């Protein structure tokens, strides 16, 4: 286990939208480099950069055409090597995004695999025997190549699945996971990992990590076996490298050997009930995209959008929204079992959001978001902050889709730096921007947030400081729930010698805690937002407050 993870706070960068250093309208690697001082000033000490490899960008780069080449629009491999170097001098580690489950249909491996004559790549992807073999399951594509057979997709049409074999096999074209050609796929991915690790990369966020072996059993034991093998390679050759999975199942991810697993919104699990409960109640994907020149930002007032937001807001019972009727016990039930699975093996990672989720500020106001940050940054495991969330950037509901983003596009707009052209993101003509910048007159920027001691940005910085200076609050520090009842707006948890109380309602609350918890408290508060006090074994929490008792 890389020790540095214990005190890691990650920052996710969507490279398209962070900072454009050469004025072509799109963010780039040198742009990230130039912003290292800002990144450092946040207190974060690790980055996850979304795919920045050569790609036709039908899925924002998750359709990789060449795993070993930085996309020219972002710069060169040399720029990346330089970024690793400069980030390291600033005490910042860099994880790249590894996409092992599929490539772009334009990848050379796929081109070779599509050939009618057998070659070393014929089985690199999953092909049925004949194009008309038993009809087409919806995720197989036929008729695109002269090679007879249909190939399996892993996500979009442009992303054929790489072949790691099948757990259960029902047709002769389904190879066992230990078939030499499936092993060759795994070795090819190891080779890609070594390539970047040798250049200075510190590890990977792994896309759809659970998707490798098809028809796997319910524990995904074949997929886990692939990762265990890869983890052994890392332990042997790169013991300080870290891998975090997009798996959303800590038990399986830890069995697989990942150091961290994201807790995501998939499957309506408890995490979504904290900040994005609306996604569990339908309707939220229905925002219409308008046509015409002003369509970029999607639905607007007068389009029925207000009504839609009203409905969403009414149904949404997110715990962190003031008096929305949320239930922290839904989250805790799921989270505690994840923690138990991860204990001693790795970490559960909570995120403020990512490039696939609506931003925190959709339906949540400034105070609610502060409580969310305070929570995420004082929980065990390794926290991840999505770029722009720290200043409170907006989610643009119904925004016109870009690069396969669809509803995700609204979370991918350019970082808002200052009041110069294009909010400081790029000097390019507006028409060339990757995505337009926030057009609202009350947009936030880094510059305006820096100047305001009470800004969200400065609040987030103080929380990150607190975490770095308090070992009990770090990833491996002890956690247990003290109070988290169904229907109660107060959530209290212990982190080592600290007790943390959050009240998300608009009213003062009095909560009785066990004497075993209260007797060790000094009454001292090392951090607070709003008011709280201790009255014997009763914790008194003010409206929408967050307090760390010592
Ligand atoms: C998950 C990624 O986060 C998402 O952005 C991408 O579209 C899919 N995996 C496919 O790679």
């Amino acid at each position: 286990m890389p020790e540095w993870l214990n005190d890691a706070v990650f920052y996710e960068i969507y490279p398209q939208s962070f900072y454009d250093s050469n004025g072509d309208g799109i963010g780039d690697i040198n742009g990230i480099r130039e912003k290292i001082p800002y990144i450092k000033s946040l207190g974060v000490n690790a980055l996850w950069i979304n795919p920045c490899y050569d790609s036709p960008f039908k899925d924002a780069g998750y359709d990789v055409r060449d795993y070993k080449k930085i996309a020219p629009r972002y710069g060169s491999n040399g720029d990346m090597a330089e970024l690793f170097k400069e980030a390291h001098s600033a005490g910042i580690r860099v994880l790249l995004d590894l996409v092992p489950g599929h490539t772009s249909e334009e990848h050379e491996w796929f081109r070779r695999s599509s050939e009618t004559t057998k070659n070393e790549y014929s089985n690199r992807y999953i092909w049925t025997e004949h194009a008309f073999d038993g009809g087409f399951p919806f995720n197989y594509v036929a008729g695109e190549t002269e090679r007879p057979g249909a190939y399996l997709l892993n996500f979009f049409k442009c992303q054929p699945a790489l072949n790691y074999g099948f757990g259960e096999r029902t047709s002769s074209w389904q190879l066992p996971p230990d078939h030499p050609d499936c092993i060759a796929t795994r070795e090819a991915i190891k080779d890609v990992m070594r390539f970047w690790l040798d250049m200075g990369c510190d590890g990977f966020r792994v896309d759809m990590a659970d998707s490798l072996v098809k028809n796997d059993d319910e524990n995904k034991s074949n997929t886990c076996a692939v990762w265990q093998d890869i983890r052994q390679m890392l332990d042997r050759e790169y013991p300080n490298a870290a891998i975090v999975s997009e798996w959303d199942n800590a038990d399986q991810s830890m069995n697989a050997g990942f150091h961290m697993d994201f807790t995501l919104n998939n499957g309506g699990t408890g995490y979504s009930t904290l900040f994005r409960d609306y996604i569990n109640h339908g309707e939220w994907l229905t925002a219409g995209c308008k046509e015409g020149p002003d369509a970029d930002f999607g639905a607007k007032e007068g389009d029925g959008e207000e009504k839609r937001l009203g409905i969403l807001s009414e149904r949404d019972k997110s715990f962190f929204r003031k008096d929305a009727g949320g239930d922290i016990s839904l989250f805790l039930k799921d989270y505690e079992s994840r923690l138990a699975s991860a204990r001693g093996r790795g970490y559960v990672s909570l995120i403020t959001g990512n490039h696939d989720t609506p931003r925190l500020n959709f339906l949540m106001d400034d105070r609610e978001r502060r409580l969310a940050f305070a929570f995420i940054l004082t929980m065990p495991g390794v926290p991840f902050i999505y770029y722009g969330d720290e200043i409170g950037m907006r989610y643009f509901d119904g925004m016109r889709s870009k690069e396969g983003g669809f509803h995700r596009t609204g979370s991918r707009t350019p970082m808002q730096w200052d009041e110069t052209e294009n909010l400081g993101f790029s000097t390019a003509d507006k028409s060339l921007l990757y995505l337009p910048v926030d057009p609202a007159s009350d947009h936030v920027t880094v510059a305006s947030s820096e100047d305001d001691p009470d800004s969200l940005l400065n609040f987030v910085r103080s929380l990150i400081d607190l975490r770095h200076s308090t070992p009990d609050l770090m990833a491996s520090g002890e956690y247990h729930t003290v109070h988290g009842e169904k229907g109660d707006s107060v959530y209290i948890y212990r982190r080592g010698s600290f007790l943390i109380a959050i009240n998300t309602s608009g009213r003062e609350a009095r909560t009785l805690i066990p004497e075993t918890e209260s007797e060790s408290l000094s009454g001292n508060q090392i951090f607070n937002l709003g008011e709280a006090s201790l009255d014997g074994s009763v914790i008194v929490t003010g409206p929408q407050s967050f307090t760390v008792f010592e």
Side-chain angles (χ1 to χ4, degrees), residues 221-260:
S221 35
N222 291 288
T223 297
C224 287
V226 173
W227 287 116
Q228 284 156 5
D229 176 53
I230 293 177
R231 169 69 187 267
Q232 277 172 21
M233 178 277 278
L234 291 178
D235 285 353
R236 248 186 344 257
E237 300 172 31
Y238 307 93
N240 272 319
I243 44 176
V244 52
S245 55
E246 184 194 32
W247 198 308
D248 204 17
N249 182 322
D251 191 40
Q252 291 178 3
S253 163
M254 301 294 130
N255 286 344
F258 280 91
H259 302 107
M260 303 168 267

mmCIF file of all heavy atoms in Angstrom, residues 221-260:
data_model
loop_
_atom_site.group_PDB
_atom_site.id
_atom_site.type_symbol
_atom_site.label_atom_id
_atom_site.label_comp_id
_atom_site.label_asym_id
_atom_site.label_seq_id
_atom_site.Cartn_x
_atom_site.Cartn_y
_atom_site.Cartn_z
ATOM 1 N N SER A 221 -14.929 -13.050 -10.032
ATOM 2 C CA SER A 221 -13.632 -13.606 -9.634
ATOM 3 C C SER A 221 -12.622 -13.670 -10.779
ATOM 4 O O SER A 221 -11.430 -13.526 -10.544
ATOM 5 C CB SER A 221 -13.785 -14.962 -8.956
ATOM 6 O OG SER A 221 -14.815 -15.680 -9.520
ATOM 7 N N ASN A 222 -13.106 -13.841 -11.998
ATOM 8 C CA ASN A 222 -12.145 -13.865 -13.117
ATOM 9 C C ASN A 222 -11.563 -12.482 -13.389
ATOM 10 O O ASN A 222 -10.373 -12.337 -13.676
ATOM 11 C CB ASN A 222 -12.819 -14.403 -14.377
ATOM 12 C CG ASN A 222 -13.150 -15.871 -14.258
ATOM 13 O OD1 ASN A 222 -12.269 -16.718 -14.286
ATOM 14 N ND2 ASN A 222 -14.431 -16.175 -14.072
ATOM 15 N N THR A 223 -12.434 -11.472 -13.302
ATOM 16 C CA THR A 223 -11.948 -10.095 -13.486
ATOM 17 C C THR A 223 -10.993 -9.742 -12.345
ATOM 18 O O THR A 223 -9.946 -9.117 -12.558
ATOM 19 C CB THR A 223 -13.141 -9.115 -13.544
ATOM 20 O OG1 THR A 223 -13.932 -9.459 -14.685
ATOM 21 C CG2 THR A 223 -12.680 -7.674 -13.669
ATOM 22 N N CYS A 224 -11.349 -10.160 -11.124
ATOM 23 C CA CYS A 224 -10.458 -9.905 -9.980
ATOM 24 C C CYS A 224 -9.086 -10.541 -10.210
ATOM 25 O O CYS A 224 -8.054 -9.943 -9.896
ATOM 26 C CB CYS A 224 -11.067 -10.453 -8.686
ATOM 27 S SG CYS A 224 -12.455 -9.475 -8.082
ATOM 28 N N ALA A 225 -9.091 -11.740 -10.777
ATOM 29 C CA ALA A 225 -7.813 -12.437 -10.987
ATOM 30 C C ALA A 225 -6.913 -11.654 -11.951
ATOM 31 O O ALA A 225 -5.694 -11.596 -11.765
ATOM 32 C CB ALA A 225 -8.061 -13.853 -11.507
ATOM 33 N N VAL A 226 -7.517 -11.044 -12.966
ATOM 34 C CA VAL A 226 -6.724 -10.238 -13.902
ATOM 35 C C VAL A 226 -6.048 -9.101 -13.137
ATOM 36 O O VAL A 226 -4.838 -8.853 -13.271
ATOM 37 C CB VAL A 226 -7.618 -9.640 -15.026
ATOM 38 C CG1 VAL A 226 -6.813 -8.666 -15.885
ATOM 39 C CG2 VAL A 226 -8.237 -10.744 -15.870
ATOM 40 N N TRP A 227 -6.845 -8.425 -12.283
ATOM 41 C CA TRP A 227 -6.289 -7.279 -11.554
ATOM 42 C C TRP A 227 -5.262 -7.698 -10.504
ATOM 43 O O TRP A 227 -4.285 -6.992 -10.265
ATOM 44 C CB TRP A 227 -7.407 -6.451 -10.915
ATOM 45 C CG TRP A 227 -8.164 -5.683 -11.958
ATOM 46 C CD1 TRP A 227 -9.474 -5.827 -12.308
ATOM 47 C CD2 TRP A 227 -7.627 -4.655 -12.814
ATOM 48 N NE1 TRP A 227 -9.789 -4.959 -13.333
ATOM 49 C CE2 TRP A 227 -8.687 -4.233 -13.658
ATOM 50 C CE3 TRP A 227 -6.376 -4.074 -12.960
ATOM 51 C CZ2 TRP A 227 -8.508 -3.240 -14.631
ATOM 52 C CZ3 TRP A 227 -6.195 -3.091 -13.918
ATOM 53 C CH2 TRP A 227 -7.254 -2.680 -14.741
ATOM 54 N N GLN A 228 -5.504 -8.861 -9.882
ATOM 55 C CA GLN A 228 -4.514 -9.322 -8.887
ATOM 56 C C GLN A 228 -3.148 -9.497 -9.544
ATOM 57 O O GLN A 228 -2.118 -9.157 -8.972
ATOM 58 C CB GLN A 228 -4.975 -10.645 -8.259
ATOM 59 C CG GLN A 228 -6.090 -10.458 -7.241
ATOM 60 C CD GLN A 228 -6.927 -11.727 -7.057
ATOM 61 O OE1 GLN A 228 -6.604 -12.773 -7.631
ATOM 62 N NE2 GLN A 228 -7.992 -11.619 -6.279
ATOM 63 N N ASP A 229 -3.186 -10.010 -10.742
ATOM 64 C CA ASP A 229 -1.940 -10.204 -11.478
ATOM 65 C C ASP A 229 -1.283 -8.836 -11.765
ATOM 66 O O ASP A 229 -0.071 -8.665 -11.603
ATOM 67 C CB ASP A 229 -2.258 -10.964 -12.777
ATOM 68 C CG ASP A 229 -1.036 -11.129 -13.648
ATOM 69 O OD1 ASP A 229 -0.020 -11.633 -13.132
ATOM 70 O OD2 ASP A 229 -1.089 -10.743 -14.832
ATOM 71 N N ILE A 230 -2.107 -7.871 -12.158
ATOM 72 C CA ILE A 230 -1.569 -6.534 -12.451
ATOM 73 C C ILE A 230 -1.046 -5.879 -11.172
ATOM 74 O O ILE A 230 0.014 -5.256 -11.146
ATOM 75 C CB ILE A 230 -2.654 -5.671 -13.145
ATOM 76 C CG1 ILE A 230 -2.945 -6.255 -14.538
ATOM 77 C CG2 ILE A 230 -2.230 -4.206 -13.214
ATOM 78 C CD1 ILE A 230 -4.043 -5.578 -15.326
ATOM 79 N N ARG A 231 -1.779 -6.081 -10.075
ATOM 80 C CA ARG A 231 -1.335 -5.513 -8.791
ATOM 81 C C ARG A 231 0.010 -6.103 -8.367
ATOM 82 O O ARG A 231 0.885 -5.399 -7.848
ATOM 83 C CB ARG A 231 -2.421 -5.768 -7.738
ATOM 84 C CG ARG A 231 -2.010 -5.489 -6.309
ATOM 85 C CD ARG A 231 -1.805 -4.000 -6.004
ATOM 86 N NE ARG A 231 -1.259 -3.854 -4.666
ATOM 87 C CZ ARG A 231 -1.990 -3.664 -3.568
ATOM 88 N NH1 ARG A 231 -3.289 -3.528 -3.656
ATOM 89 N NH2 ARG A 231 -1.423 -3.573 -2.388
ATOM 90 N N GLN A 232 0.178 -7.391 -8.625
ATOM 91 C CA GLN A 232 1.480 -8.010 -8.270
ATOM 92 C C GLN A 232 2.608 -7.365 -9.052
ATOM 93 O O GLN A 232 3.695 -7.126 -8.516
ATOM 94 C CB GLN A 232 1.443 -9.507 -8.557
ATOM 95 C CG GLN A 232 0.798 -10.288 -7.429
ATOM 96 C CD GLN A 232 0.589 -11.745 -7.797
ATOM 97 O OE1 GLN A 232 1.239 -12.278 -8.714
ATOM 98 N NE2 GLN A 232 -0.320 -12.408 -7.103
ATOM 99 N N MET A 233 2.315 -7.081 -10.294
ATOM 100 C CA MET A 233 3.323 -6.396 -11.121
ATOM 101 C C MET A 233 3.661 -5.040 -10.490
ATOM 102 O O MET A 233 4.825 -4.673 -10.352
ATOM 103 C CB MET A 233 2.770 -6.242 -12.540
ATOM 104 C CG MET A 233 3.644 -5.511 -13.533
ATOM 105 S SD MET A 233 3.570 -3.701 -13.536
ATOM 106 C CE MET A 233 2.127 -3.372 -14.514
ATOM 107 N N LEU A 234 2.612 -4.303 -10.072
ATOM 108 C CA LEU A 234 2.856 -2.983 -9.474
ATOM 109 C C LEU A 234 3.658 -3.123 -8.186
ATOM 110 O O LEU A 234 4.621 -2.384 -7.949
ATOM 111 C CB LEU A 234 1.529 -2.273 -9.174
ATOM 112 C CG LEU A 234 0.707 -1.803 -10.374
ATOM 113 C CD1 LEU A 234 -0.598 -1.162 -9.903
ATOM 114 C CD2 LEU A 234 1.493 -0.815 -11.237
ATOM 115 N N ASP A 235 3.254 -4.054 -7.329
ATOM 116 C CA ASP A 235 3.951 -4.222 -6.044
ATOM 117 C C ASP A 235 5.435 -4.521 -6.269
ATOM 118 O O ASP A 235 6.296 -4.049 -5.538
ATOM 119 C CB ASP A 235 3.309 -5.345 -5.219
ATOM 120 C CG ASP A 235 1.982 -4.905 -4.607
ATOM 121 O OD1 ASP A 235 1.644 -3.696 -4.720
ATOM 122 O OD2 ASP A 235 1.270 -5.755 -4.033
ATOM 123 N N ARG A 236 5.691 -5.312 -7.288
ATOM 124 C CA ARG A 236 7.071 -5.696 -7.579
ATOM 125 C C ARG A 236 7.863 -4.541 -8.191
ATOM 126 O O ARG A 236 8.949 -4.209 -7.771
ATOM 127 C CB ARG A 236 7.056 -6.847 -8.595
ATOM 128 C CG ARG A 236 7.522 -8.163 -8.049
ATOM 129 C CD ARG A 236 7.647 -9.254 -9.106
ATOM 130 N NE ARG A 236 6.982 -9.025 -10.373
ATOM 131 C CZ ARG A 236 5.825 -9.589 -10.733
ATOM 132 N NH1 ARG A 236 5.194 -10.400 -9.906
ATOM 133 N NH2 ARG A 236 5.302 -9.361 -11.922
ATOM 134 N N GLU A 237 7.245 -3.912 -9.199
ATOM 135 C CA GLU A 237 8.021 -2.958 -9.998
ATOM 136 C C GLU A 237 7.795 -1.492 -9.640
ATOM 137 O O GLU A 237 8.667 -0.663 -9.869
ATOM 138 C CB GLU A 237 7.701 -3.171 -11.494
ATOM 139 C CG GLU A 237 8.042 -4.578 -11.963
ATOM 140 C CD GLU A 237 7.547 -4.843 -13.386
ATOM 141 O OE1 GLU A 237 7.498 -3.897 -14.189
ATOM 142 O OE2 GLU A 237 7.190 -6.009 -13.684
ATOM 143 N N TYR A 238 6.591 -1.170 -9.133
ATOM 144 C CA TYR A 238 6.264 0.244 -8.847
ATOM 145 C C TYR A 238 5.498 0.340 -7.522
ATOM 146 O O TYR A 238 4.319 0.715 -7.498
ATOM 147 C CB TYR A 238 5.396 0.832 -9.974
ATOM 148 C CG TYR A 238 5.961 0.654 -11.356
ATOM 149 C CD1 TYR A 238 5.597 -0.455 -12.131
ATOM 150 C CD2 TYR A 238 6.854 1.586 -11.894
ATOM 151 C CE1 TYR A 238 6.114 -0.635 -13.408
ATOM 152 C CE2 TYR A 238 7.363 1.412 -13.175
ATOM 153 C CZ TYR A 238 6.992 0.304 -13.923
ATOM 154 O OH TYR A 238 7.490 0.128 -15.184
ATOM 155 N N PRO A 239 6.154 -0.006 -6.411
ATOM 156 C CA PRO A 239 5.416 -0.118 -5.147
ATOM 157 C C PRO A 239 4.758 1.181 -4.678
ATOM 158 O O PRO A 239 3.872 1.141 -3.839
ATOM 159 C CB PRO A 239 6.480 -0.597 -4.153
ATOM 160 C CG PRO A 239 7.784 -0.309 -4.808
ATOM 161 C CD PRO A 239 7.561 -0.340 -6.283
ATOM 162 N N ASN A 240 5.150 2.314 -5.238
ATOM 163 C CA ASN A 240 4.523 3.569 -4.824
ATOM 164 C C ASN A 240 3.376 3.999 -5.725
ATOM 165 O O ASN A 240 2.753 5.030 -5.502
ATOM 166 C CB ASN A 240 5.562 4.690 -4.775
ATOM 167 C CG ASN A 240 6.211 4.708 -3.407
ATOM 168 O OD1 ASN A 240 5.521 4.535 -2.395
ATOM 169 N ND2 ASN A 240 7.522 4.884 -3.377
ATOM 170 N N ALA A 241 3.119 3.220 -6.760
ATOM 171 C CA ALA A 241 2.037 3.592 -7.683
ATOM 172 C C ALA A 241 0.689 3.193 -7.088
ATOM 173 O O ALA A 241 0.568 2.169 -6.419
ATOM 174 C CB ALA A 241 2.238 2.897 -9.022
ATOM 175 N N ALA A 242 -0.311 4.018 -7.344
ATOM 176 C CA ALA A 242 -1.638 3.756 -6.780
ATOM 177 C C ALA A 242 -2.659 3.551 -7.895
ATOM 178 O O ALA A 242 -2.568 4.164 -8.957
ATOM 179 C CB ALA A 242 -2.062 4.932 -5.904
ATOM 180 N N ILE A 243 -3.626 2.675 -7.620
ATOM 181 C CA ILE A 243 -4.711 2.485 -8.592
ATOM 182 C C ILE A 243 -6.065 2.641 -7.898
ATOM 183 O O ILE A 243 -6.293 2.132 -6.804
ATOM 184 C CB ILE A 243 -4.632 1.112 -9.325
ATOM 185 C CG1 ILE A 243 -4.334 -0.031 -8.363
ATOM 186 C CG2 ILE A 243 -3.591 1.168 -10.437
ATOM 187 C CD1 ILE A 243 -4.339 -1.423 -9.033
ATOM 188 N N VAL A 244 -6.935 3.384 -8.537
ATOM 189 C CA VAL A 244 -8.282 3.595 -8.003
ATOM 190 C C VAL A 244 -9.281 3.130 -9.049
ATOM 191 O O VAL A 244 -9.136 3.438 -10.232
ATOM 192 C CB VAL A 244 -8.506 5.080 -7.592
ATOM 193 C CG1 VAL A 244 -8.157 6.062 -8.694
ATOM 194 C CG2 VAL A 244 -9.971 5.315 -7.148
ATOM 195 N N SER A 245 -10.260 2.374 -8.604
ATOM 196 C CA SER A 245 -11.169 1.751 -9.568
ATOM 197 C C SER A 245 -12.503 2.466 -9.677
ATOM 198 O O SER A 245 -13.065 2.927 -8.686
ATOM 199 C CB SER A 245 -11.440 0.297 -9.169
ATOM 200 O OG SER A 245 -11.934 0.218 -7.852
ATOM 201 N N GLU A 246 -12.990 2.490 -10.890
ATOM 202 C CA GLU A 246 -14.396 2.783 -11.106
ATOM 203 C C GLU A 246 -15.079 1.419 -11.067
ATOM 204 O O GLU A 246 -15.131 0.708 -12.077
ATOM 205 C CB GLU A 246 -14.605 3.456 -12.472
ATOM 206 C CG GLU A 246 -16.058 3.859 -12.659
ATOM 207 C CD GLU A 246 -16.429 4.220 -14.088
ATOM 208 O OE1 GLU A 246 -15.865 3.650 -15.044
ATOM 209 O OE2 GLU A 246 -17.298 5.071 -14.258
ATOM 210 N N TRP A 247 -15.463 1.021 -9.870
ATOM 211 C CA TRP A 247 -16.075 -0.298 -9.684
ATOM 212 C C TRP A 247 -17.370 -0.112 -8.912
ATOM 213 O O TRP A 247 -18.402 -0.667 -9.208
ATOM 214 C CB TRP A 247 -15.098 -1.213 -8.927
ATOM 215 C CG TRP A 247 -15.379 -2.667 -9.032
ATOM 216 C CD1 TRP A 247 -16.562 -3.313 -8.780
ATOM 217 C CD2 TRP A 247 -14.455 -3.698 -9.432
ATOM 218 N NE1 TRP A 247 -16.428 -4.662 -8.997
ATOM 219 C CE2 TRP A 247 -15.158 -4.925 -9.398
ATOM 220 C CE3 TRP A 247 -13.110 -3.718 -9.805
ATOM 221 C CZ2 TRP A 247 -14.547 -6.143 -9.718
ATOM 222 C CZ3 TRP A 247 -12.516 -4.929 -10.120
ATOM 223 C CH2 TRP A 247 -13.223 -6.128 -10.077
ATOM 224 N N ASP A 248 -17.279 0.734 -7.870
ATOM 225 C CA ASP A 248 -18.452 1.031 -7.047
ATOM 226 C C ASP A 248 -18.895 -0.193 -6.256
ATOM 227 O O ASP A 248 -20.074 -0.388 -5.993
ATOM 228 C CB ASP A 248 -19.602 1.551 -7.945
ATOM 229 C CG ASP A 248 -20.600 2.410 -7.163
ATOM 230 O OD1 ASP A 248 -20.261 2.872 -6.067
ATOM 231 O OD2 ASP A 248 -21.733 2.609 -7.675
ATOM 232 N N ASN A 249 -17.905 -1.001 -5.898
ATOM 233 C CA ASN A 249 -18.165 -2.174 -5.069
ATOM 234 C C ASN A 249 -16.852 -2.459 -4.348
ATOM 235 O O ASN A 249 -15.956 -3.105 -4.894
ATOM 236 C CB ASN A 249 -18.584 -3.356 -5.949
ATOM 237 C CG ASN A 249 -18.912 -4.583 -5.129
ATOM 238 O OD1 ASN A 249 -18.251 -4.876 -4.127
ATOM 239 N ND2 ASN A 249 -19.925 -5.315 -5.555
ATOM 240 N N ALA A 250 -16.723 -1.910 -3.130
ATOM 241 C CA ALA A 250 -15.430 -1.954 -2.439
ATOM 242 C C ALA A 250 -14.960 -3.384 -2.223
ATOM 243 O O ALA A 250 -13.770 -3.674 -2.346
ATOM 244 C CB ALA A 250 -15.518 -1.217 -1.115
ATOM 245 N N ASP A 251 -15.877 -4.274 -1.924
ATOM 246 C CA ASP A 251 -15.465 -5.637 -1.631
ATOM 247 C C ASP A 251 -14.775 -6.266 -2.848
ATOM 248 O O ASP A 251 -13.658 -6.783 -2.758
ATOM 249 C CB ASP A 251 -16.680 -6.469 -1.205
ATOM 250 C CG ASP A 251 -16.243 -7.799 -0.635
ATOM 251 O OD1 ASP A 251 -15.233 -7.825 0.112
ATOM 252 O OD2 ASP A 251 -16.882 -8.820 -0.960
ATOM 253 N N GLN A 252 -15.438 -6.188 -3.994
ATOM 254 C CA GLN A 252 -14.848 -6.772 -5.198
ATOM 255 C C GLN A 252 -13.572 -6.029 -5.610
ATOM 256 O O GLN A 252 -12.574 -6.638 -5.998
ATOM 257 C CB GLN A 252 -15.866 -6.759 -6.344
ATOM 258 C CG GLN A 252 -17.015 -7.725 -6.084
ATOM 259 C CD GLN A 252 -18.076 -7.703 -7.171
ATOM 260 O OE1 GLN A 252 -17.948 -6.994 -8.168
ATOM 261 N NE2 GLN A 252 -19.130 -8.468 -6.978
ATOM 262 N N SER A 253 -13.626 -4.701 -5.519
ATOM 263 C CA SER A 253 -12.459 -3.915 -5.911
ATOM 264 C C SER A 253 -11.234 -4.251 -5.050
ATOM 265 O O SER A 253 -10.110 -4.359 -5.558
ATOM 266 C CB SER A 253 -12.799 -2.429 -5.815
ATOM 267 O OG SER A 253 -11.629 -1.665 -5.794
ATOM 268 N N MET A 254 -11.460 -4.418 -3.749
ATOM 269 C CA MET A 254 -10.335 -4.748 -2.856
ATOM 270 C C MET A 254 -9.863 -6.180 -3.109
ATOM 271 O O MET A 254 -8.670 -6.469 -3.076
ATOM 272 C CB MET A 254 -10.729 -4.582 -1.385
ATOM 273 C CG MET A 254 -11.187 -3.189 -0.997
ATOM 274 S SD MET A 254 -9.936 -1.905 -1.090
ATOM 275 C CE MET A 254 -10.775 -0.639 -2.041
ATOM 276 N N ASN A 255 -10.809 -7.075 -3.403
ATOM 277 C CA ASN A 255 -10.397 -8.439 -3.785
ATOM 278 C C ASN A 255 -9.502 -8.382 -5.010
ATOM 279 O O ASN A 255 -8.571 -9.171 -5.159
ATOM 280 C CB ASN A 255 -11.616 -9.299 -4.152
ATOM 281 C CG ASN A 255 -12.413 -9.715 -2.937
ATOM 282 O OD1 ASN A 255 -11.922 -9.621 -1.805
ATOM 283 N ND2 ASN A 255 -13.649 -10.142 -3.158
ATOM 284 N N ALA A 256 -9.829 -7.448 -5.893
ATOM 285 C CA ALA A 256 -9.062 -7.324 -7.134
ATOM 286 C C ALA A 256 -7.688 -6.717 -6.885
ATOM 287 O O ALA A 256 -6.813 -6.799 -7.742
ATOM 288 C CB ALA A 256 -9.844 -6.484 -8.131
ATOM 289 N N GLY A 257 -7.513 -6.058 -5.725
ATOM 290 C CA GLY A 257 -6.204 -5.484 -5.402
ATOM 291 C C GLY A 257 -6.120 -3.982 -5.620
ATOM 292 O O GLY A 257 -5.025 -3.407 -5.581
ATOM 293 N N PHE A 258 -7.271 -3.319 -5.843
ATOM 294 C CA PHE A 258 -7.210 -1.867 -5.971
ATOM 295 C C PHE A 258 -6.918 -1.234 -4.611
ATOM 296 O O PHE A 258 -7.297 -1.773 -3.576
ATOM 297 C CB PHE A 258 -8.533 -1.326 -6.548
ATOM 298 C CG PHE A 258 -8.589 -1.502 -8.028
ATOM 299 C CD1 PHE A 258 -9.143 -2.653 -8.590
ATOM 300 C CD2 PHE A 258 -8.035 -0.549 -8.869
ATOM 301 C CE1 PHE A 258 -9.149 -2.837 -9.960
ATOM 302 C CE2 PHE A 258 -8.035 -0.732 -10.240
ATOM 303 C CZ PHE A 258 -8.601 -1.872 -10.789
ATOM 304 N N HIS A 259 -6.235 -0.085 -4.647
ATOM 305 C CA HIS A 259 -5.948 0.630 -3.409
ATOM 306 C C HIS A 259 -7.137 1.466 -2.966
ATOM 307 O O HIS A 259 -7.287 1.786 -1.799
ATOM 308 C CB HIS A 259 -4.748 1.565 -3.591
ATOM 309 C CG HIS A 259 -3.507 0.862 -4.029
ATOM 310 N ND1 HIS A 259 -3.002 0.957 -5.301
ATOM 311 C CD2 HIS A 259 -2.681 0.030 -3.346
ATOM 312 C CE1 HIS A 259 -1.898 0.235 -5.395
ATOM 313 N NE2 HIS A 259 -1.677 -0.335 -4.226
ATOM 314 N N MET A 260 -7.942 1.883 -3.935
ATOM 315 C CA MET A 260 -9.108 2.736 -3.637
ATOM 316 C C MET A 260 -10.219 2.354 -4.593
ATOM 317 O O MET A 260 -9.957 1.957 -5.726
ATOM 318 C CB MET A 260 -8.786 4.222 -3.898
ATOM 319 C CG MET A 260 -7.608 4.767 -3.145
ATOM 320 S SD MET A 260 -7.114 6.402 -3.805
ATOM 321 C CE MET A 260 -5.861 5.947 -4.999
#
